[in-house]
Amino acid sequence: MGKDFKFTSESVTRGHPDKVADQISDAILDSILSQDASARVAAETVVTTGLALVVGEITTGCYVDIARTVRETIRDIGYTRAKMGFDADTVAVITSIDEQSADIAQGVDEAFERRAGDEEELDRIGAGDQGMVFGFACNETPELMPLPISLAHGLARSLDGARQQELLPFLWPDGKTQVTVQYRDGRPEAVETVLISTQHRPEADIDEITHGLMDTIIKPTLGAWWHPKIRVLINPTGRFVIGGPRGDSGLTGRKIIVDTYGGYARHGGGAFSGKDPTKVDRSASYAARWVAKNLVAAGLADRAEIQIAYAIGVARPLSIMVDSFGTGKISDAELARLVDRVFDLRPLAIIRALDLARPIYLQTAAYGHFGRTDVDLPWEQTDRVDILKALAGAS
């Protein structure tokens, strides 16, 4: 990435159709984990006008009323009126759930359920699938996230909050935000463009929406980054009444860039929502963020991207890569060796270190899984900073 450039990231509100699907999938996961910590869950949701379809593979001994969970989630998001084209009380809920494939479960379930602490067990529980994951951190913001996605999430969260608190009565649940940042010499210099598209009541006009968003959402959220020369685009098409699942179908896992780093870092391709923590798409992505954040928080790099690769049924990662983009205080190879010493990245070790076998996932299904300051997420802790500093200083 060049030293002088513009970078843009987007976020969406809870009422965006893809996020509705993500939240339903994670609500089902949380409901199951609250009763059965060793459950295997891969729940996918499709939403469209008047319909929510839940499919996937779930293996558990507990009972969860999926239809009720779906309706409660939709109601909490704010789709409570039939004229929105998607209503918690009238939506049809269809489920098609199978048990997890025995071939995939092999080498996972027995070791997980025994929960002994020896090395043999940690090596026995393998990854639930092959693949690679990425984690990232940088020192552009206090939460060690890229500035464009941090601001885009902030705007989306403020938009949703203003609707829920009825600060702007014309708002309806669906919405998208986008922020373009100008970088100079590799550092964010200024916000150049802010774009917000928000669903609204039919009677609202563009002037009311524009003034409301400027005063209540944009200026307060941008804070010190606000300046009068920012280009602001609000509902560029003029109206946005038909939205949510009525305006566009939604699908679990279709907002993976919104969920991670806004395109600023690479992505392994796997989605998060609806998956229990034995799926490394989710748990190892969280661990990779944990690793990257600790490296940056320890001052060992200004930017750090971590790749971890797994094979199905194999516990130990096939590879661990660190890219500090030339900002590392020691070489990238040394950083990778340091990561391997300090962090146990076997699936069961990750689950235990981050306490992932519990119902914490619905809160991640909107406004990103990383850099969150509004909720307490274990992979955001910087608990390995001291040992990283000590070992790096001794090397």
Side-chain angles (χ1 to χ4, degrees):
M1 196 176 287
K3 290 187 175 181
D4 295 347
F5 58 92
K6 298 174 185 178
F7 197 88
T8 302
S9 293
E10 72 162 349
S11 183
V12 297
T13 64
R14 295 181 66 203
H16 185 281
D18 292 330
K19 279 292 143 196
V20 172
D22 283 341
Q23 289 167 91
I24 290 171
S25 293
D26 271 337
I28 292 168
L29 172 64
D30 276 359
S31 296
I32 293 171
L33 289 179
S34 68
Q35 302 177 62
D36 181 5
S38 62
R40 297 291 169 270
V41 181
E44 314 285 347
T45 304
V46 179
V47 292
T48 187
T49 306
L51 174 66
L53 169 64
V54 180
V55 301
E57 296 78 41
I58 298 176
T59 302
T60 181
C62 73
Y63 171 75
V64 169
D65 188 335
I66 290 179
R68 180 178 179 180
T69 302
V70 170
R71 295 184 191 281
E72 287 177 349
T73 305
I74 294 170
R75 182 175 294 107
D76 186 63
I77 292 169
Y79 286 110
T80 56
R81 303 179 186 179
K83 64 180 179 180
M84 292 179 179
F86 195 72
D87 172 32
D89 293 317
T90 60
V91 63
V93 180
I94 300 174
T95 62
S96 179
I97 304 294
D98 293 317
E99 287 195 359
Q100 185 183 53
S101 163
D103 293 337
I104 295 175
Q106 184 177 353
V108 175
D109 291 338
E110 180 183 352
F112 186 84
E113 289 165 3
R114 292 191 313 149
R115 297 191 66 80
D118 56 28
E119 284 295 307
E120 181 184 354
E121 180 195 4
L122 288 168
D123 273 332
R124 185 180 294 117
I125 179 169
D129 201 354
Q130 71 176 49
M132 71 287 187
V133 300
F134 287 92
F136 182 79
C138 63
N139 59 9
E140 292 181 11
T141 61
E143 61 273 23
L144 303 185
M145 287 286 285
L147 181 63
I149 189 64
S150 182
L151 292 178
H153 282 323
L155 290 168
R157 193 161 49 240
S158 295
L159 194 62
D160 216 8
R163 176 183 61 83
Q164 292 174 321
Q165 298 169 41
E166 298 185 343
L167 300 178
L168 299 174
F170 56 79
L171 291 176
W172 274 2
D174 195 359
K176 301 179 76 173
T177 66
Q178 189 169 287
V179 176
T180 301
V181 174
Q182 174 68 58
Y183 284 74
R184 297 291 184 196
D185 197 25
R187 302 294 300 175
E189 179 186 62
V191 174
E192 181 178 271
T193 305
V194 169
L195 166 62
I196 296 181
S197 295
T198 182
Q199 188 185 21
H200 57 83
R201 293 183 179 184
E203 61 271 19
D205 62 52
I206 190 63
D207 288 338
E208 178 187 13
I209 296 168
T210 298
H211 288 116
L213 295 191
M214 286 291 293
D215 295 339
T216 306
I217 307 296
I218 297 173
K219 292 181 180 179
T221 301
L222 293 187
W225 288 104
W226 167 256
H227 61 87
K229 293 184 179 180
I230 292 177
R231 184 186 186 195
V232 177
L233 301 172
I234 295 175
N235 283 15
T237 61
R239 286 174 60 80
F240 185 2
V241 174
I242 299 174
R246 179 188 175 193
D248 190 11
S249 60
L251 177 64
T252 298
R254 202 157 57 185
K255 285 291 176 283
I256 59 177
I257 300 303
V258 171
D259 285 344
T260 52
Y261 307 100
Y264 202 89
R266 284 173 282 194
H267 195 293
F272 302 152
S273 291
K275 296 178 180 178
D276 74 77
T278 66
K279 279 71 172 175
V280 289
D281 276 349
R282 183 166 217 163
S283 56
S285 293
Y286 293 164
R289 162 64 178 174
W290 179 40
V291 171
K293 187 173 184 180
N294 275 269
L295 289 178
V296 174
L300 299 181
D302 295 336
R303 297 166 62 198
E305 185 177 74
I306 315 299
Q307 186 201 55
I308 313 168
Y310 292 91
I312 187 168
V314 178
R316 294 185 182 274
L318 302 181
S319 65
I320 299 171
M321 181 276 293
V322 177
D323 187 350
S324 67
F325 307 93
T327 70
K329 305 308 182 278
I330 57 178
S331 72
D332 290 348
E334 289 175 304
L335 287 172
R337 285 192 290 270
L338 198 59
V339 168
D340 199 29
R341 289 182 64 185
V342 174
F343 297 90
D344 189 339
L345 297 174
R346 290 173 290 182
L348 184 55
I350 292 171
I351 291 169
R352 292 180 178 173
L354 299 179
D355 194 15
L356 298 181
R358 56 194 174 105
I360 59 172
Y361 298 106
L362 177 56
Q363 63 187 344
T364 69
Y367 313 126
H369 294 244
F370 307 124
R372 298 288 293 274
T373 58
D374 57 320
V375 292
D376 183 19
L377 300 176
W379 50 90
E380 292 296 314
Q381 61 191 342
T382 52
D383 57 337
R384 303 295 171 91
V385 165
D386 291 341
I387 189 171
L388 286 168
K389 286 180 177 179
L391 291 175
S395 62

